[in-house]
Amino acid sequence: MDDKEPDQTPFAAVSAQTSRFTRLYQSYLDKCTPYTTYRWLSTAFLLIIFFARIVLSQGWYIVCYSLGIYLLNLFLAFLQPKFDPSLTQDEGLEDGESSLPTKQDEEFRPFIRRLPEFKFWHSATRAIAISFVCTWFSVFNVPVFWPVLVVYFIILFSLTMRRQIQHMIKYRYVPFTFGKAKYNQRSGH
């Protein structure tokens, strides 16, 4: 009998396959990056299928509620700036200086999101897919009175969005590009 060591251990083989699948998955993500509209349409379609599953099966309301809370959390991170102006302003007051430009010649700081659009889409799509898979297992079908969850979610959404909009108005930042002034490069305005 030969006591030769195998060329590859089982752990190394699994690790190599996992690495291969990770690279393949990343290449698909890289290829779909420029197609923003199609990505969001496919996510909306997946969400519609998920809601149809919830309505037709008349169950898994906790899974749906959890998905709603998670998507709300992602949306808020998408709307917020990476560097919170309220924290920057508090630090500036301690130092005796203001971080927002007050004169025309001060530095312009563009809006940088805390959660970029692609990561928002990727996390939302992944969450919807995982939630859809959860609806096929009865262990996640916890009996609840769903109207209470709907009312609670609506209240939570409205209070959270009101606070976010007030923050946006107070610190004068707009996270969206539509409605912003566009300047002509030739005229300098």
Side-chain angles (χ1 to χ4, degrees):
M1 291 194 117
D2 274 348
D3 286 335
K4 286 188 173 181
E5 289 281 328
D7 289 345
Q8 197 173 24
T9 63
F11 179 74
V14 170
S15 179
Q17 287 298 324
T18 304
S19 177
R20 187 176 141 256
F21 286 129
T22 303
R23 282 192 310 272
L24 182 65
Y25 179 69
Q26 188 61 47
S27 72
Y28 285 131
L29 285 178
D30 292 342
K31 288 177 184 175
C32 76
T33 300
Y35 305 106
T36 307
T37 304
Y38 296 118
R39 284 190 285 118
W40 283 104
L41 286 175
S42 64
T43 300
F45 180 71
L46 189 62
L47 189 62
I48 289 169
I49 290 174
F50 172 75
F51 284 147
R53 168 82 175 132
I54 296 297
V55 169
L56 294 176
S57 65
Q58 295 184 356
W60 290 276
Y61 300 119
I62 289 291
V63 173
C64 186
Y65 176 74
S66 301
L67 176 65
I69 295 295
Y70 182 72
L71 292 177
L72 177 62
N73 188 22
L74 286 177
F75 184 62
L76 287 174
F78 177 71
L79 289 179
Q80 293 174 350
K82 187 172 186 175
F83 306 106
D84 191 5
S86 62
L87 297 176
T88 309
Q89 186 177 23
D90 292 342
E91 291 170 3
L93 291 176
E94 290 173 3
D95 298 338
E97 61 185 48
S98 175
S99 64
L100 293 175
T102 55
K103 298 178 185 165
Q104 195 97 18
D105 59 345
E106 286 190 27
E107 178 185 2
F108 168 72
R109 293 189 178 117
F111 183 80
I112 301 171
R113 297 182 188 283
R114 194 172 95 193
L115 181 67
E117 181 272 332
F118 184 79
K119 288 184 179 180
F120 176 35
W121 167 79
H122 187 244
S123 298
T125 305
R126 206 172 28 183
I128 294 168
I130 290 170
S131 298
F132 185 74
V133 169
C134 287
T135 62
W136 295 99
F137 298 100
S138 61
V139 71
F140 297 111
N141 191 8
V142 179
V144 294
F145 188 59
W146 66 267
V148 173
L149 292 179
V150 171
V151 169
Y152 184 65
F153 181 78
I154 290 171
I155 291 171
L156 184 66
F157 179 80
S158 60
L159 290 175
T160 308
M161 288 309 295
R162 188 184 80 191
R163 191 184 83 228
Q164 183 64 34
I165 291 170
Q166 286 174 343
H167 191 269
M168 289 164 54
I169 291 169
K170 181 178 180 181
Y171 294 103
R172 290 180 269 145
Y173 65 89
V174 180
F176 303 108
T177 55
F178 62 86
K180 290 185 179 180
K182 294 183 181 178
Y183 299 105
N184 192 356
Q185 290 180 350
R186 290 183 191 168
S187 66
H189 301 146

